[in-house]
C-alpha cells in the first residue's frame, strides 16, 4: 500500500517550485492533497502534472487562494475538510523574498516590504498552524515548515527582512514542536539552500538573470561546494520524510538543512548580487 494512503495533506505554495514537487510526490504516494496558490494558471499546471502521473481527480482539491488572507486560509481548511473529511499533514511551504518595487535594498527597503515579507513567511504560517491545529489533534498529525539557510547566523543584507522572517520561523518551529507534541502533533522543518524554482522570478528577476544567478552559484565552490543548484525534488523528498511518522517519528522541532554544503562555507556573501545576476 502507498505510504500516505488515507492521509490528507495541505501544501501551501504548491502552484510552483518545491510545493509543486512535494504535491506530486505525496499524490503519487497515495495521499489526498489540497494544492493551492494565487496564480490560477500555474496551479492548474500543478493539477495537470499530478493527474497525468496517474493520480485520480478524487485525491485532489485545487484552491486558488492568498494564504496571507484570513479568508484564503479558511477556504483551504474548509474545502479540505469538505472533500476529504480530515487533515493529517500541513506543509507550510508558501514563501518569497518580497522585492521592494523601488529597487531599494538593505536598510532602505520600505516598511511595507517588511510587513508583506513577514506576513507571508511568518504570520501566515502561524495562522495556518492555529487553524489546522484542532484537526491535527484529532489525527495526531504532522506539520512541516519550509524555512531557509538565510535564517542562520550569517548576515543577509540583500534579503534582510526575508532572513528575519525565516529566523523567526525557525524559533516558531521549535516552540510549536514542544507545545504541540503534548497533543501528539509533530512539527519539523526543512532549510533549503539555493534551489532552482520560481523563487528568483517572484523576486522580480527575469528568467535570464535567474539562470545567470543559478549558474554563478553552481560555478563557485565558495557558494555551493557541491557545484550544483538544488532541484525542487531534493527538498520535496525531505518534506515527505518529515511527514512520514514511520521514518522520522523521533525528530521533533528540528530543521534539516539541504544546501549542497553552502552553510559550511557561506562564501557567497563576498560576491555582489547584481554581478551574480549578470547585471
Ligand atoms: P516558488 O516561487 O517557485 O514557489 C513559491 C510558492 O509560494 C508558489 O506556489 C506561490 O504561488 C506561493 N505563494 C507566494 N506568495 C503566496 C501568497 N501570498 N499566497 C499563496 N501562495 C503564495 O519558490 P520556491 O518553491 O523556491 O519556494 C518554496 C519555499 O521554499 C518558500 O518558503 C521559500 O522561502 C523556500 N526556500 C526557497 C529557496 C530557493 O532557493 N528556491 C531557498 C530556501 C528556501 P503563487 O505565486 O501562485 O501565489
Amino acid at each position: 500500500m502507498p505510504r500516505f494512503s488515507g492521509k490528507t495533506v495541505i501544501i501551501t505554495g504548491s502552484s510552483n517550485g518545491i510545493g509543486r514537487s512535494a504535491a506530486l510526490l505525496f499524490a503519487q504516494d497515495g495521499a489526498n492533497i489540497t494544492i493551492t496558490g494565487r496564480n490560477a494558471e500555474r496551479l492548474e499546471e500543478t493539477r495537470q502534472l499530478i493527474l497525468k502521473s496517474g493520480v485520480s481527480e478524487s485525491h485532489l482539491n485545487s484552491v486558488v487562494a492568498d494564504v496571507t488572507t484570513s479568508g484564503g486560509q479558511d477556504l483551504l481548511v474548509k474545502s479540505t475538510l469538505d472533500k476529504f473529511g480530515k487533515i493529517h499533514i500541513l506543509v507550510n511551504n508558501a514563501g518569497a523574498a518580497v522585492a521592494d518595487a523601488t529597487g531599494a535594498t538593505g536598510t532602505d527597503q520600505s516598511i511595507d516590504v517588511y510587513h508583506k515579507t513577514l506576513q507571508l513567511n511568518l504570520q501566515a504560517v502561524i495562522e495556518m498552524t492555529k487553524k489546522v491545529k484542532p484537526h491535527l489533534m484529532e489525527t495526531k498529525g504532522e506539520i512541516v515548515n519550509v524555512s531557509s539557510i538565510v535564517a542562520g547566523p550569517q548576515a543577509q543584507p540583500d534579503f534582510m527582512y526575508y532572513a528575519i522572517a525565516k529566523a523567526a520561523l525557525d524559533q516558531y518551529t521549535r516552540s510549536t514542536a514542544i507545545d504541540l507534541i503534548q497533543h501528539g502533533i509533530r512539527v519539523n522543518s526543512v532549510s533549503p539552500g539555493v534551489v532552482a524554482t520560481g523563487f528568483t522570478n517572484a523576486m522580480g528577476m527575469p528568467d535570464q538573470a535567474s539562470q545567470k544567478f543559478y549558474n554563478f552559484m553552481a560555478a563557485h565552490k565558495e557558494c555551493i561546494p557541491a557545484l550544483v543548484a538544488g532541484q525542487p525534488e531534493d527538498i520535496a523528498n525531505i518534506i515527505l520524510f518529515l511527514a512520514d511518522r514511520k521514518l522520522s517519528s523521533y525528530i521533533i522541532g528540528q530543521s534539516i538543512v539541504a544546501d549542497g554544503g553552502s552553510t559550511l562555507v557561506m562564501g557567497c556573501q563576498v560576491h555582489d548580487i547584481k554581478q551574480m545576476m549578470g547585471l
Side-chain angles (χ1 to χ4, degrees), residues 1 15 18 25 31 49-50 53-54 90 106 118 127 135 152 166 172 177 183 190 205 226 259 263 267 269:
M1 189 159 50
S15 56
I18 293 167
L25 294 183
L49 185 74
I50 293 169
S53 81
L90 169 65
L118 268 82
E127 288 166 339
H135 309 290
K166 292 295 193 182
Y172 185 69
H183 302 296
V190 56
M205 262 192 222
D259 67 351
T263 39
Q269 306 303 82

Side-chain angles (χ1 to χ4, degrees), residues 1-266:
M1 189 159 50
R3 66 174 161 152
F4 292 105
S5 194
K7 304 273 186 194
T8 294
V9 191
I10 298 177
I11 311 163
T12 68
S14 32
S15 56
N16 210 353
I18 293 167
R20 172 182 284 171
S21 176
L24 178 64
L25 294 183
F26 271 120
Q28 288 178 327
D29 233 331
N32 298 318
I33 50 169
T34 290
I35 54 171
T36 182
R38 293 162 303 173
N39 185 306
E41 219 172 285
R42 279 203 299 260
L43 186 61
E44 181 58 21
E45 281 173 32
T46 301
R47 199 177 79 90
Q48 289 301 332
L49 185 74
I50 293 169
L51 291 175
K52 277 188 196 128
S53 81
V55 171
S56 141
E57 182 88 55
S58 63
H59 288 272
L60 260 177
N61 177 39
S62 182
V63 184
V64 175
D66 184 336
V67 77
T68 64
T69 65
S70 185
Q73 297 157 5
D74 291 342
L75 183 62
L76 284 177
V77 175
K78 185 177 182 312
S79 67
T80 303
L81 291 170
D82 285 350
K83 181 145 186 178
F84 304 123
K86 286 185 187 308
I87 303 171
H88 301 84
I89 297 162
L90 169 65
V91 181
N92 286 309
N93 164 74
V98 179
D100 195 308
T102 66
T105 57
T107 43
D108 294 328
Q109 289 179 85
S110 69
I111 286 298
D112 181 48
V113 171
Y114 164 81
H115 282 304
K116 283 189 177 136
T117 306
L118 268 82
Q119 207 180 5
L120 173 62
N121 294 283
L122 181 64
Q123 191 172 322
V125 176
I126 294 173
E127 288 166 339
M128 281 302 292
T129 301
K130 287 168 83 67
K131 288 178 182 180
V132 174
K133 174 182 164 184
H135 309 290
L136 294 180
M137 281 170 68
E138 242 179 68
T139 57
K140 309 275 178 247
E142 333 284 325
I143 297 176
V144 182
N145 295 326
V146 179
S147 183
S148 168
I149 60 168
V150 301
Q154 297 82 13
Q156 298 291 343
D158 292 317
F159 313 99
M160 61 170 74
Y161 300 149
Y162 175 65
I164 288 169
K166 292 295 193 182
L169 175 63
D170 282 358
Q171 183 53 253
Y172 185 69
T173 295
R174 288 190 287 272
S175 301
T176 47
I178 296 308
D179 186 48
L180 296 182
I181 195 63
Q182 63 185 317
H183 302 296
I185 303 170
R186 261 180 349 119
V187 185
N188 283 296
S189 154
V190 56
S191 295
V194 172
V195 184
T197 63
F199 187 83
T200 46
N201 293 138
M203 282 170 61
M205 262 192 222
D207 283 347
Q208 208 185 358
S210 294
Q211 200 49 59
K212 281 197 172 136
F213 173 77
Y214 293 127
N215 290 346
F216 185 100
M217 298 291 284
H220 289 77
K221 65 177 194 245
E222 72 276 22
C223 297
I224 309 176
L227 293 176
V228 62
Q231 292 302 308
E233 304 72 43
D234 295 324
I235 310 305
N237 278 313
I238 298 168
I239 293 173
L240 267 76
F241 167 72
L242 291 172
D244 183 347
R245 196 163 285 217
K246 283 204 184 105
L247 295 183
S248 59
S249 67
Y250 209 45
I251 305 179
I252 307 287
Q254 298 298 316
S255 193
I256 296 182
V257 172
D259 67 351
S262 297
T263 39
L264 298 182
V265 292
M266 277 315 223

